[in-house]
Amino acid sequence: MSDFLKHECGIALVRLLKPLQYYKDKYGTAFYGLNKLYLLMEKQHNRGQDGAGLASIKFNVDPGTRYISRIRSNKTQPIQDIFGQINNRINDIFEKDPEKLEDVKWQEENMPYIGNLFLGHVRYGTFGGNSIENVHPFLRQSNWKHKNLIVAGNFNMTNSGELMKELITLGQHPKEATDTVTVMEKIGHFLEDEVAQTYKKAKAAGFNKKQASPFIEENLDIQRILKRSSRNWDGGYAMAGLLGHGDAFVLRDPSGIRPAFWYQDDEVVVVASERPVIQTTFNVPIEEVQELPRGKALIIKKNGSTSLERVIKKREKLSCSFERIYFSRGSDADIYQERKNLGKFVFPEILKSINDDISNTVFTYIPNTAETSFYGMMEAAEDVLNQQKTAEILAGGGKLSAQRVTEILSERPRFEKIAIKDAKLRTFITDDSSRDDLVAHVYDVTYGVVKPTDNLVIIDDSIVRGTTLKKSIIKILDRLSPKKIVVVSSAPQIRYPDCYGIDMARIGDFIAFKAALELLKEREMYHIVDEVYEKCKAQQATEEKEDIVNFVKEVYAPFTDEEISAKIAEMLKTDGINAEVEIIYQTVEGLHNSCPKHKGDWYFTGDYPTPGGHRVVNQAFINFYEGNNKRAY
């Protein structure tokens, strides 16, 4: 993607179902679980590079022995940092006492990070800062094992303020107002309440306090805790939690916005944010990795039993389509095909733009994530050219020479790697003029391929702000002197902010929004902006969430998609650009046809899956109108 976006986080959970000695005997190490967690996290580093953390729990240790270990990092390479620290500690122990290398029981009792249950997290900071305190997993401590709570997740809540007030009503005094803290404290509150209720049952059954602990652990109702905790949550989430005694859970939001997948055999239970990560790490076929149902929790008890329990009534499935377009790795079998389809389905509009002239067109892509949609565009171009070649041969009526037929058949679409990203280039000067000059050199181009008579078509995943296109890509493509530059977005126009994990919170940043405003000014319709502001302000007092309307749609209503795209092209073409510039976006229909099972499209359509989303988009517009640069949630 030419416009860098921070986005949702990644989770990784590993529950070992056998004694540690089993893994030592079979795989040569009692650190099998830790090794697998490293792979799961490393293969999800695309989901977050601002911070990483992990927590582990031991089951079979005596009181007074540390049974929870946690490490977090916000260094430049956080995954490598935390596992480097762990590796150093382990190696130091074995160097001092090599005999302990074979003593699994001693390792379990004395070494950190060896355990039975692991939770890892990689993070991009979309809310709060990037200090170490904001890195997951979060830990809520207690002297009672079953009251210890560890939480990590891939989520954003639209109503953190409301959740904060609920905690205050419960008598709590949270240390922060971030959604992670409020969610963890909400779960923690009902965990403590459930422990108290279960203790009463143990006491009634004649157990003393010491005997009550194992009774509580065995009978603690995780489903009930999560039902009570999540009652008023509004957001997208895949949330994982560990209890100190060994129970674990992963809960997914009722619309299935944030992804979560799981796998179980007789050795492990595994959860991750992406399916191919599990397939690769554990070498299992695609059909054995299951998607966590929306609104349900995977609950793993200390005794190793697993169950899928309904926690929240499911809503219509509106999984994040940005996962399919960009964020998730394209190695997933379905995502790979969907991305190819995105390139394929937008090709008819490309063909119109180049007047069906495939012969005098060079096709390329923005590296590197647009490469798969480029393959789909390639296949569509080849199909059309084959049709053109067939028509020309048939039109010859059998009178074409063998040489001419060979010439026709040998023609191929011109697919080239034109844009080359200089990944090592960093902007080290902070004043705007210097930064602009450096940004213009983030990409290099391949010379000697494009002729002055050529169209140059370049496909990108999506166009969000258009900054890099304007300051860098279009300028360097124009150096190749094509007659026309066609920039293609495999995603539709991004018109509305996200509030479920992607860092797109400010509506004024979007090039499509800016284009709509320019069109309103040109056509003397800017009064619509004032009217939308008044409607959004009046609706702020609305008590019923379900009654909230997205009034921002009225900003775009007077214009066709093509009119907005044309205005975007005009805004991105700066002085000194000689080539004609056209911008083509995927249609929403094309998106749905490409990703038929993942129809979360609120950033394109404004149709949010939760009531909180509509409140957020109106607040984002209010912030824009009032010149307030803060986030809308």
Side-chain angles (χ1 to χ4, degrees):
M1 185 183 291
S2 55
D3 289 319
F4 176 72
L5 285 178
K6 291 185 175 182
H7 52 93
E8 59 266 36
C9 309
I11 57 173
L13 183 147
V14 176
R15 165 66 156 88
L16 302 180
L17 297 175
K18 303 283 190 181
L20 294 184
Q21 187 65 50
Y22 172 90
Y23 304 95
K24 171 66 173 172
D25 294 340
K26 184 172 180 178
Y27 299 105
T29 176
F31 290 90
Y32 173 83
L34 192 63
N35 291 339
K36 291 299 186 184
L37 188 75
Y38 168 72
L39 290 172
L40 290 171
M41 292 175 66
E42 189 59 67
K43 290 182 181 297
Q44 292 184 99
H45 76 273
N46 57 298
R47 305 189 69 82
Q49 297 168 38
D50 284 343
L54 72 83
S56 64
I57 293 179
K58 303 173 186 286
F59 290 177
N60 305 310
V61 294
D62 295 329
T65 303
R66 182 178 293 275
Y67 60 96
I68 296 178
S69 298
R70 181 180 64 146
I71 184 170
R72 300 179 294 173
S73 173
N74 61 350
K75 297 286 181 66
T76 304
Q77 295 182 311
I79 300 174
Q80 290 85 346
D81 182 48
I82 60 176
F83 281 95
Q85 292 185 53
I86 292 170
N87 188 58
N88 290 338
R89 289 191 65 178
I90 292 171
N91 286 339
D92 286 346
I93 293 171
F94 288 147
E95 284 177 9
K96 292 175 182 176
D97 195 347
E99 292 182 1
K100 301 303 183 188
L101 192 58
E102 302 300 321
D103 192 341
V104 174
K105 182 173 175 53
W106 184 91
Q107 293 173 18
E108 187 172 10
E109 291 174 349
N110 295 277
M111 295 183 70
Y113 309 112
I114 186 170
N116 310 86
L117 179 59
F118 303 87
L119 177 60
H121 188 265
V122 291
R123 175 182 188 268
Y124 268 121
T126 58
F127 189 89
N130 287 329
S131 68
I132 196 68
E133 287 79 13
N134 290 307
V135 178
H136 301 206
F138 279 48
L139 172 62
R140 195 177 192 264
Q141 291 182 292
S142 173
N143 271 347
W144 281 265
K145 288 179 77 173
H146 33 259
K147 290 185 181 181
N148 279 285
L149 175 64
I150 301 167
V151 170
N154 168 12
F155 64 90
N156 266 95
M157 299 296 176
T158 70
N159 61 336
S160 296
E162 179 184 330
L163 298 176
M164 180 76 167
K165 291 177 182 177
E166 290 179 1
L167 290 174
I168 295 171
T169 302
L170 292 171
Q172 293 192 19
H173 189 101
K175 62 179 182 179
E176 292 181 45
T178 61
D179 50 4
T180 310
V181 169
T182 52
V183 164
M184 182 179 68
E185 292 301 332
K186 197 78 178 292
I187 297 172
H189 170 80
F190 288 110
L191 169 62
E192 290 184 349
D193 188 67
E194 191 68 23
V195 167
Q197 296 299 322
T198 311
Y199 172 68
K200 287 181 181 179
K201 295 177 183 177
K203 192 174 180 181
F207 294 103
N208 61 35
K209 291 183 178 180
K210 185 176 180 180
Q211 293 169 333
S213 285
F215 178 89
I216 293 171
E217 293 172 5
E218 185 177 345
N219 292 280
L220 203 62
D221 191 339
I222 306 298
Q223 181 186 18
R224 176 176 156 83
I225 293 169
L226 295 176
K227 276 186 174 182
R228 299 176 73 192
S229 305
S230 61
R231 191 169 294 146
N232 294 321
W233 291 352
D234 188 302
Y237 48 88
M239 187 179 307
L242 314 180
L243 304 187
H245 66 263
D247 285 355
F249 64 85
V250 181
L251 172 63
R252 194 176 182 201
D253 68 80
S255 299
I257 297 170
R258 297 272 70 89
F261 298 87
W262 69 288
Y263 163 76
Q264 179 177 4
D265 58 24
D266 62 344
E267 294 181 349
V268 293
V269 182
V270 187
V271 182
S273 294
E274 297 190 24
R275 181 171 60 179
V277 168
I278 298 176
Q279 289 181 250
T280 301
T281 300
F282 291 90
N283 191 26
V284 294
I286 188 171
E287 58 270 13
E288 292 188 17
V289 181
Q290 302 177 59
E291 185 175 3
L292 185 61
R294 59 194 189 277
K296 283 192 174 184
L298 172 66
I299 296 174
I300 312 166
K301 295 294 289 182
K302 183 185 178 182
N303 62 16
S305 65
T306 60
S307 62
L308 288 170
E309 305 293 346
R310 171 65 58 196
V311 172
I312 311 165
K313 183 179 179 181
K314 67 180 179 181
R315 291 174 172 261
E316 178 187 0
K317 185 178 181 182
L318 291 171
S319 303
C320 174
S321 58
F322 246 117
E323 284 280 352
R324 325 302 289 183
I325 298 166
Y326 173 65
F327 293 140
S328 288
R329 290 193 176 215
S331 54
D332 183 280
D334 292 341
I335 291 176
Y336 183 79
Q337 188 57 52
E338 289 166 11
R339 289 182 182 174
K340 286 186 70 176
N341 286 340
L342 287 167
K344 178 181 178 181
F345 293 158
V346 77
F347 190 74
E349 292 303 313
I350 298 172
L351 202 58
K352 291 179 188 176
S353 176
I354 62 174
N355 295 318
D356 295 350
D357 188 4
I358 293 177
S359 298
N360 291 300
T361 301
V362 174
F363 298 92
T364 188
Y365 62 95
I366 302 286
N368 288 316
T369 52
E371 186 174 3
T372 307
S373 58
F374 173 68
Y375 292 146
M377 182 176 71
M378 285 171 57
E379 290 181 4
E382 287 170 341
D383 289 343
V384 170
L385 187 58
N386 286 337
Q387 293 170 15
Q388 292 177 354
K389 290 190 289 186
T390 300
E392 185 174 351
I393 291 171
L394 292 175
K399 298 178 181 180
L400 298 177
S401 67
Q403 181 181 351
R404 179 55 189 151
V405 172
T406 300
E407 289 173 354
I408 293 171
L409 292 176
S410 64
E411 187 174 0
R412 299 283 185 273
R414 296 161 63 195
F415 306 125
E416 305 289 352
K417 187 168 185 178
I418 299 295
I420 304 163
K421 190 169 186 179
D422 189 345
K424 296 180 181 178
L425 187 65
R426 294 291 181 268
T427 304
F428 61 92
I429 300 175
T430 55
D431 71 277
D432 289 342
S433 59
S434 296
R435 284 179 62 86
D436 287 353
D437 182 59
L438 287 167
V439 166
H441 292 84
V442 168
Y443 288 88
D444 292 329
V445 286
T446 303
Y447 293 94
V449 176
V450 179
K451 301 190 296 290
T453 53
D454 286 336
N455 305 299
L456 179 54
V457 174
I458 186 165
I459 191 166
D460 196 359
D461 295 297
S462 65
I463 302 169
V464 186
R465 296 178 287 269
T467 307
T468 307
L469 281 174
K470 182 174 184 177
K471 294 183 177 180
S472 176
I473 293 172
I474 293 176
K475 287 182 178 179
I476 64 169
L477 294 179
D478 191 60
R479 294 176 196 164
L480 303 177
S481 301
K483 68 176 182 181
K484 185 176 186 179
I485 298 170
V486 183
V487 182
V488 181
S489 170
S490 69
Q493 296 169 2
I494 295 172
R495 299 181 169 193
Y496 306 95
D498 184 73
C499 51
Y500 305 117
I502 304 172
D503 192 15
M504 298 193 301
R506 299 178 182 90
I507 195 169
D509 292 343
F510 304 149
I511 188 67
F513 182 74
K514 292 177 181 177
L517 296 183
E518 287 300 313
L519 289 171
L520 289 173
K521 291 175 184 176
E522 290 175 4
R523 302 184 188 185
E524 299 183 350
M525 301 169 67
Y526 204 78
H527 60 88
I528 290 176
V529 174
D530 301 319
E531 293 166 3
V532 169
Y533 172 72
E534 294 299 333
K535 291 177 181 179
C536 290
K537 289 291 286 187
Q539 193 173 232
Q540 279 185 311
T542 302
E543 293 288 336
E544 293 297 325
K545 293 181 183 179
E546 301 291 345
D547 293 338
I548 298 175
V549 176
N550 178 2
F551 289 116
V552 184
K553 289 184 178 183
E554 296 177 17
V555 172
Y556 299 99
F559 314 114
T560 65
D561 293 353
E562 291 75 18
E563 287 175 311
I564 292 176
S565 293
K567 176 53 66 174
I568 291 172
E570 182 183 320
M571 294 168 69
L572 295 182
K573 182 177 179 179
T574 56
D575 292 340
I577 301 296
N578 295 313
E580 180 185 350
V581 176
E582 184 173 353
I583 307 293
I584 294 175
Y585 282 91
Q586 179 73 258
T587 63
V588 172
E589 181 183 11
L591 171 70
H592 290 170
N593 289 336
S594 300
C595 312
K597 297 180 181 179
H598 301 83
K599 295 190 175 181
D601 61 5
W602 50 93
Y603 9 72
F604 311 123
T605 64
D607 299 329
Y608 289 84
T610 74
H614 292 121
R615 187 184 292 278
V616 166
V617 67
N618 288 336
Q619 185 60 54
F621 185 85
I622 292 170
N623 291 348
F624 155 76
Y625 190 93
E626 296 178 349
N628 188 338
N629 199 39
K630 71 178 183 180
R631 302 176 67 87
Y633 59 93

